[in-house]
């Protein structure tokens, strides 16, 4: 049986130039390189320059993904941008990116699911493609997340960084089996009962300010390992595949201990886990495509590999996408 599959045609990413090491963080808050590395695995993060916005990072990542896909930007009919840090409350940052690419047709919109944003955006893109709403979708995760940080709060400000990653998804044909290239299954979840565990204490409708990130780290950690393992098992059950079939696990990069804990829980060997949190920190919606692009460009992920993506973030929101590269 011939079916439509959403196939990744290209991938790209962009990081701001400025590297901020843990050593530099010790000059800002009462912390140490040892504490940060031991608790999180983070060594350094990137911070966007003054005047460098989420749309700038997104546009650079988008151009790289379009070049990698070898298509003309005009072929793109939909742009979905996942971000928690839009340039403005409105319009959507996706529209600024659309304009930057010289595209004046189709639709462009933002998705807000914090760190799970890219998984949400990919799932929406896949649904659009499979139901014939779109043929070529640019999916971006981009953040200037450090602009939401309280730089006097050592429990949060050492964890995050800025960056962007993007993929081009195109409609392809499959046989309806797990041997097909493209997205094989996608699963999304949220539970607002836990929204106070990780949130921003401001917003246009409440304080008319942007606010700062507040987090109960231990609680987030506890729920993350359980929720992530559940949604991975869901993806495997939906496809009849097992953890042994996965070639590469590309998780949201929040904390190396969460990644190690999750891999262990689902029985994945550490060498199959793509870990970039050490160099990027937690870049929220940008973290999965940044990690994906790293593993493609360094040759780990190859055509035909089975790749598992997942994320968990504020809300809580969480989800997984299983695809064949
Ligand atoms: N430097 C030094 N000491 C610190 C720092 C720091 N940067 N931050 C906290 N501490 C101290 C605390 O004050 C505490 O001291 P005390 O024992 O004297 O009170 C001690 O270290 C332990 O603090 P905990 O918060 O219990 O440390 P924990 O081992 O839980 O690690 C961490 C904290 C790294 C935040 C961890 O809980 C974590 O990673 N949680 C998950 C975060 C996450 O995954 N977020 C993802 C979602 S983000 C999104 O969706 C936007």
């Amino acid at each position: 049986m011939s079916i439509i599959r959403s196939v990744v045609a290209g991938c790209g990413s962009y990081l701001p130039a400025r590297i901020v090491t843990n050593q530099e963080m010790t000059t800002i808050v009462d912390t140490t390189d040892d504490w940060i590395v031991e608790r999180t695995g983070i060594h350094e993060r990137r911070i966007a320059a003054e005047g460098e916005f989420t749309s700038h990072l997104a546009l650079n990542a988008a151009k790289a993904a379009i070049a990698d896909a070898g298509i003309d930007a005009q072929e793109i009919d939909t742009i979905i941008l996942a971000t928690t840090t839009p340039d403005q409350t409105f319009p959507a940052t996706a529209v600024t990116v659309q304009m930057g690419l010289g595209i004046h047709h189709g639709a462009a919109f933002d998705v807000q699911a914090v760190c799970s944003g890219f998984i949400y955006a990919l799932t929406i893109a896949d649904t659009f493609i499979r139901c014939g709403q779109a043929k070529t979708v640019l999916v971006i995760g981009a953040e200037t997340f450090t602009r939401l940080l309280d730089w006097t709060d050592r429990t949060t400000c050492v964890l995050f960084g800025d960056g962007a990653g993007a993929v081009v998804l195109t409609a392809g044909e499959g046989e309806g089996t797990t041997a097909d290239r493209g997205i094989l299954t996608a699963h999304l979840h949220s539970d607002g009962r836990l929204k106070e565990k990780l949130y921003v204490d401001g917003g246009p409708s409440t304080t008319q300010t942007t606010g700062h990130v507040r987090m109960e780290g231990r609680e987030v950690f506890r729920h993350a390992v359980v929720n992530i393992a559940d949604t991975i098992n869901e993806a495997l059950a939906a496809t009849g595949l097992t953890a042994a079939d996965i070639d590469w696990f590309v998780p949201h990069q929040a904390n190396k201990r969460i990644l190690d804990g999750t891999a262990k829980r689902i029985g994945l060997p550490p060498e199959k886990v793509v870990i970039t949190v050490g160099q990027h920190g937690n870049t929220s919606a940008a973290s999965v495509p940044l990690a994906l692009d790293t593993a493609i460009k360094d040759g780990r992920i190859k055509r035909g590999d089975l790749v598992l993506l997942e994320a968990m973030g504020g809300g809580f929101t969480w989800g997984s996408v299983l695809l064949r590269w």
Side-chain angles (χ1 to χ4, degrees):
M1 184 185 63
S2 175
I3 64 162
I4 300 173
R5 291 281 195 198
S6 311
V7 177
V8 181
C11 188
S13 64
Y14 179 80
L15 288 164
R18 182 160 176 246
I19 297 173
V20 175
T21 61
N22 289 348
Q23 199 51 46
E24 191 172 343
M25 291 304 300
T26 68
T27 66
I28 302 169
V29 282
D30 180 17
T31 191
T32 62
D33 178 49
D34 282 351
W35 191 96
I36 301 171
V37 173
E38 192 192 308
R39 304 285 174 130
T40 71
I42 298 168
H43 294 274
E44 61 190 37
R45 72 285 292 144
R46 301 294 180 107
I47 296 194
E50 207 182 321
E52 190 173 37
F53 306 144
T54 295
S55 62
H56 299 133
L57 310 187
L59 186 57
N60 281 315
K63 285 180 176 169
I66 292 165
D68 190 46
I71 62 161
D72 188 316
Q74 297 305 324
E75 292 175 47
I76 292 164
D77 53 39
T78 309
I79 300 174
I80 311 178
L81 191 154
T83 190
T84 308
T85 45
D87 290 10
Q88 295 153 279
T89 304
F90 82 84
T93 302
V95 174
T96 305
V97 173
Q98 184 192 32
M99 188 180 71
L101 292 171
I103 302 172
H104 312 296
H105 62 265
F109 58 95
D110 289 357
V111 166
Q112 158 61 300
V114 207
C115 297
S116 312
F118 186 76
I119 299 295
Y120 270 64
L122 258 192
T123 304
I124 296 166
D126 177 44
T127 309
F128 272 31
I129 287 175
R130 284 188 297 104
C131 73
Q133 173 78 25
K135 279 201 165 57
T136 307
V137 186
L138 175 63
V139 183
I140 310 167
E143 301 275 19
T144 45
F145 206 86
T146 61
R147 304 220 161 113
L148 292 177
L149 299 177
D150 173 354
W151 291 96
T152 65
D153 176 10
R154 68 177 183 172
T155 69
T156 52
C157 75
V158 301
L159 304 174
F160 296 93
D162 301 331
V167 297
V168 174
L169 277 186
T170 54
E173 254 185 38
E175 297 300 317
T177 73
T178 56
D180 289 347
R181 281 194 74 206
I183 293 179
L184 303 176
T185 191
H187 302 268
L188 300 179
H189 296 277
S190 59
D191 186 347
R193 286 176 300 179
L194 300 166
K195 70 188 170 106
E196 261 123 54
K197 304 288 179 204
L198 174 57
Y199 68 103
V200 161
D201 61 5
S205 180
T206 49
T207 59
Q208 296 86 56
T209 62
T210 307
H212 292 117
V213 173
R214 306 293 173 208
M215 177 172 78
E216 287 178 42
R218 265 185 192 210
E219 280 294 294
V220 176
F221 194 111
R222 197 164 65 81
H223 287 281
V225 177
V226 176
N227 290 345
I228 292 165
D230 282 354
T231 189
I232 290 170
N233 286 328
E234 203 175 16
L236 295 175
T239 49
L241 294 164
T242 68
D245 295 314
I246 297 167
D247 294 302
W248 296 106
F249 177 40
V250 186
H252 169 51
Q253 310 282 321
N255 179 319
K256 187 172 179 300
R257 286 189 300 150
I258 296 180
L259 308 190
D260 293 342
T262 309
K264 205 169 161 193
R265 211 176 162 105
I266 57 169
L268 265 182
E271 58 272 18
K272 287 190 172 184
V273 187
V274 176
I275 298 183
T276 52
V277 69
Q279 288 66 48
H280 301 164
N282 180 348
T283 57
S284 184
S287 95
V288 170
L290 270 168
L292 194 58
D293 197 42
T294 302
I296 291 158
K297 298 292 147 62
D298 69 19
R300 273 179 285 178
I301 297 179
K302 296 188 180 63
R303 173 74 77 96
D305 282 352
L306 188 67
V307 181
L308 175 67
L309 315 177
E310 62 76 8
M312 142 104 187
F316 291 144
T317 54
W318 66 101
S320 59
V321 170
L322 186 61
L323 60 91
R324 194 167 293 288
W325 198 252

